[in-house]
């Protein structure tokens, strides 16, 4: 037999079998990444706790789809993606605990799916390490179960960039094409301008690939379509909405916000105005180490001739961070979540190289020891800051709930309207609508508020040391939590 064990070299050559890497394989579950995703979900529920009340911005987003409270004023910079994401729970239930559990499970599943596409680029263990690094940040744990858009922009960025690399390498990978579209759409659905900054390096790479460019652009348009349409329906056009959004954010332009971001790392969820000293160097050390470790990962990837899967997320992280480091005059740690998610990939590659590269016994032991100590210290710092953030956030939200209870005792019940200090979140807790005649949430006039005082249960909230607006100074007032509540007498008599 020509192909038997005794075949000679003069036999006809056999047909070559396809290379093993070319044989399509069914996607398999990744136990390392799945373990991290499950741990992330459980850590949110244990450390942040589902009983944490809704924050200011959360009450705005949730009220848009809630069947229990009137919708709060929706200012120009906001996008309705997160409102629609929470609608499956918020539309029929007012349970914050149920909403938090839903978001924790959803965020863990999304982390797994978004990072799974990177297995072919970086390997399963590096990807699992990247997931652990990103998921262990206090800001990720805190906002994973919050009804806020920034974590979901980060998830969209991970999926979009990873699928972009897959589609670029293999035009027949249909799942990758859909991933590019879905990732871009998710980002734009949550925060359109953030999506544009994230994909700038992708657009540059796709200029010579019209199909890839078209899919990327289609995803952005699909996600931002509602925001653009709403601009013309409710805000006077796209240009006007962009102008209003810029004004609310303090005017987009050159603002060096690097120090502001540094100050916010101690657990300040919003740093506006961002005054005071920076946290301890122990708290901020990871922030300075992050770009250095990412650069190390990039150098290692270039030397190994697999540069693009490391350099591209690094470039997208840089463009995602630009507006929040250099273009706005305040800071919030959540703004940089997309950058942190993308930077976790080259950082994980660099750390993995440090502990696996060929080296003598002493050098290897030293490298492993340093990485282990560094990661342990990192986890300890993140836990301490997370506990502080949860405690301070819970305190302010408890104050809002107490004020709401006091307002109920004063006769302010549905249907009702609040105005004044912290009226937006307190209105949600009270079950009322909110309206302001000035400021970023201005949605009516003083005349409009005066008219409302005659037809509905209406109260104006004033902080200690400040005077009530002129139209409410003669109204009966009483303490409501730490505030003074001026309650419209006509509405009270009517009730």
């Amino acid at each position: 037999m020509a192909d038997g064990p005794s075949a000679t070299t003069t036999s006809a050559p056999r047909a070559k079998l396809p290379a093993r890497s070319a044989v399509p394989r069914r996607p398999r579950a990744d136990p390392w990444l799945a373990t991290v995703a499950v741990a992330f979900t459980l850590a949110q529920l244990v450390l942040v706790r589902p009983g944490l009340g809704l924050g200011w911005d959360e009450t705005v987003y949730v009220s848009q789809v809630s069947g229990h409270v009137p919708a709060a004023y929706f200012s120009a910079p906001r996008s309705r993606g997160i409102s629609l994401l929470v609608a499956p729970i918020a539309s029929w239930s007012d349970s914050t605990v149920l909403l938090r559990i839903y978001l924790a499970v959803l965020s863990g599943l999304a982390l797994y799916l978004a990072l799974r596409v990177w297995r072919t680029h970086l390997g399963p263990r590096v990807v699992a390490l990247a997931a652990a690094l990103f998921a262990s940040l206090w800001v990720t744990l805190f906002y994973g179960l919050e009804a806020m858009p920034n974590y979901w922009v980060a998830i969209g960025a991970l999926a979009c960039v990873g699928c972009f690399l897959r589609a670029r390498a293999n035009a027949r990978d249909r799942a990758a094409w859909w991933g590019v579209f879905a990732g871009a759409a998710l980002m734009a659905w949550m925060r359109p301008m953030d999506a544009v900054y994230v994909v700038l390096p992708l657009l540059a790479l796709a200029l010579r690939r019209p199909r890839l460019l078209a899919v990327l652009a289609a995803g952005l348009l699909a996600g931002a379509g509602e925001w653009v349409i709403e601009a013309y329906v409710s805000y006077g056009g796209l240009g006007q909405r962009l102008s209003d959004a810029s004004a609310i954010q303090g005017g987009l332009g050159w603002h060096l916000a690097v120090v502001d971001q540094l100050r916010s790392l101690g657990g300040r969820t919003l740093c506006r105005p961002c005054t005071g000293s920076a946290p301890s160097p122990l708290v901020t050390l990871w922030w300075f180490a992050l770009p250095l470790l990412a650069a190390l990962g990039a150098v290692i990837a270039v030397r190994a001739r697999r540069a693009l899967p490391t350099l591209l997320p690094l470039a997208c992280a840089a463009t995602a961070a630009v507006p929040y480091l250099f273009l706005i005059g305040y800071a919030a740690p959540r703004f940089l979540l997309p950058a942190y998610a993308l930077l976790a990939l080259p950082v994980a590659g660099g750390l993995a190289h440090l502990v696996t590269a060929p080296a003598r016994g002493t050098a290897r032991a030293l490298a492993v020891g340093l990485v282990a100590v560094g990661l342990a210290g990192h986890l300890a710092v993140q836990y301490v800051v997370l506990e502080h953030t949860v405690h301070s956030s819970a305190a302010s939200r408890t104050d809002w709930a107490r004020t709401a209870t006091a307002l109920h005792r004063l006769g302010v019940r549905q249907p009702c309207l609040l105005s004044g200090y912290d009226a937006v979140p307190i209105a949600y807790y009270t079950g009322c609508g909110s309206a302001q005649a000035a400021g970023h949430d201005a949605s009516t006039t003083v005349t409009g508020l005066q008219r409302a005082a005659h037809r509905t249960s209406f109260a104006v909230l004033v902080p200690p040391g400040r005077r009530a607006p002129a139209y409410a100074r003669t109204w009966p007032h009483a303490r409501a939590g730490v505030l003074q509540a001026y309650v419209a007498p006509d509405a009270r008599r009517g009730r």
Side-chain angles (χ1 to χ4, degrees):
M1 296 175 61
D3 57 351
S6 59
T8 65
T9 55
T10 59
S11 305
R14 291 181 294 176
K16 290 184 178 180
L17 293 173
R20 180 171 297 181
S21 60
V23 177
R25 293 181 178 180
R26 244 182 225 184
R28 293 179 300 175
D30 188 335
W32 294 93
L33 183 57
T35 300
V36 173
V38 171
F40 173 56
T41 299
L42 295 176
Q44 292 177 81
L45 297 174
V46 172
L47 300 179
V48 182
R49 296 178 285 276
L52 181 67
L54 297 183
W56 182 308
D57 291 292
E58 287 186 290
T59 64
V60 175
Y61 289 121
V62 173
S63 71
Q64 306 304 309
V65 293
S66 173
H68 303 86
V69 297
Y73 175 69
F74 206 73
S75 61
R78 301 187 188 276
S79 184
R80 297 188 183 272
I82 193 65
S83 298
L84 297 176
L85 188 73
V86 301
I89 300 298
S91 60
W92 60 271
S93 173
D94 63 351
S95 170
T96 302
V97 172
L98 185 59
L99 181 63
R100 295 277 187 231
I101 294 173
Y102 163 75
L103 287 172
V105 173
L106 198 62
S107 62
L109 178 61
L111 182 72
Y112 174 81
L113 294 176
L115 277 166
R116 192 180 176 196
V117 302
W118 287 89
R119 291 190 311 165
T120 56
H121 305 307
L122 302 175
R125 295 193 178 187
V126 172
V127 169
L129 177 58
L133 292 173
F134 175 59
S136 62
L137 293 176
W138 74 262
V139 64
T140 310
L141 285 163
F142 186 77
Y143 284 104
L145 49 57
E146 293 258 311
M148 296 291 283
N150 309 86
Y151 174 81
W152 298 98
V153 177
I155 290 298
L158 287 170
C160 185
V161 178
C163 289
F164 181 93
L165 287 167
R166 281 178 48 178
R168 191 173 182 272
N170 180 8
R172 295 182 180 181
D173 189 342
R174 295 180 63 185
W177 290 98
W178 281 108
V180 172
F181 176 87
L186 177 60
M187 288 190 289
W189 194 40
M190 294 293 169
R191 293 184 70 89
M193 295 310 298
D194 284 17
V196 172
Y197 278 102
V198 169
V199 303
L200 284 176
L202 306 186
L203 292 172
L205 275 181
L207 288 177
R208 295 185 180 181
R209 295 173 180 252
R211 183 185 172 194
L212 197 50
L213 184 62
V215 171
L216 191 58
L220 293 175
L221 291 174
E226 185 278 332
W227 196 85
V228 174
I229 293 170
E230 188 180 38
Y232 288 98
V233 172
S234 304
Y235 297 91
L238 182 58
Q240 186 61 49
R241 185 170 194 178
L242 289 171
S243 176
D244 291 347
S246 175
I248 288 173
Q249 293 174 317
L252 296 180
W254 175 254
H255 296 284
L256 188 62
V258 176
V259 176
D260 292 343
Q261 285 290 347
L262 194 63
R263 290 190 181 114
S264 73
L265 292 178
R268 299 171 67 176
T269 55
L270 181 63
C271 202
R272 186 180 189 183
C274 205
T275 56
S277 59
S280 161
L282 290 176
V283 172
T284 59
L285 181 60
W286 71 269
W287 205 67
F288 292 104
L290 192 62
L292 298 178
L293 291 172
L296 171 65
V299 170
I300 292 168
V302 169
R303 289 180 176 177
R305 297 184 179 179
R306 47 177 176 81
L308 193 59
T310 298
L311 294 182
L312 188 57
L314 186 56
C316 291
T319 56
V322 163
Y324 296 115
L325 293 178
F326 305 110
L327 298 181
I328 65 172
Y330 63 100
R334 59 187 169 87
F335 291 162
L336 294 179
L337 272 172
Y340 297 151
L342 292 165
L343 285 174
L345 295 163
V347 169
L351 291 177
H353 177 81
L354 287 178
V355 299
T356 60
R360 293 182 179 179
T362 304
R364 169 69 63 81
L366 180 61
V368 172
L370 287 175
V371 170
V373 170
L375 290 177
H378 168 77
L379 290 175
V381 166
Q382 299 306 312
Y383 172 76
V384 170
V385 177
L386 179 63
E387 275 294 299
H388 167 73
T389 306
V390 170
H391 179 76
S392 60
S393 298
S396 63
R397 298 170 196 195
T398 299
D399 286 343
W400 294 337
R402 288 173 179 165
T403 301
T405 301
L407 287 170
H408 287 156
R409 287 198 298 265
L410 293 173
V412 180
R413 294 187 180 89
Q414 292 181 328
C416 50
L417 184 69
L418 299 184
S419 186
Y421 187 80
D422 277 0
V424 172
I426 293 173
Y428 182 90
Y429 281 78
T430 312
C432 301
S434 61
Q436 304 284 23
H440 295 157
D441 293 319
S443 57
T444 187
T445 62
V446 171
T447 302
L449 292 177
Q450 289 174 311
R451 289 173 181 167
H454 293 289
R455 63 176 185 264
T456 189
S457 181
F458 179 52
V460 177
L461 302 174
V462 180
R466 294 190 187 178
R467 298 184 69 190
Y471 65 85
R473 286 174 190 165
T474 60
W475 294 356
H477 61 278
R479 184 161 181 164
V482 297
L483 306 177
Q484 287 290 322
Y486 289 73
V487 182
D490 290 348
R492 292 185 72 181
R493 280 197 296 268
R495 291 179 69 84

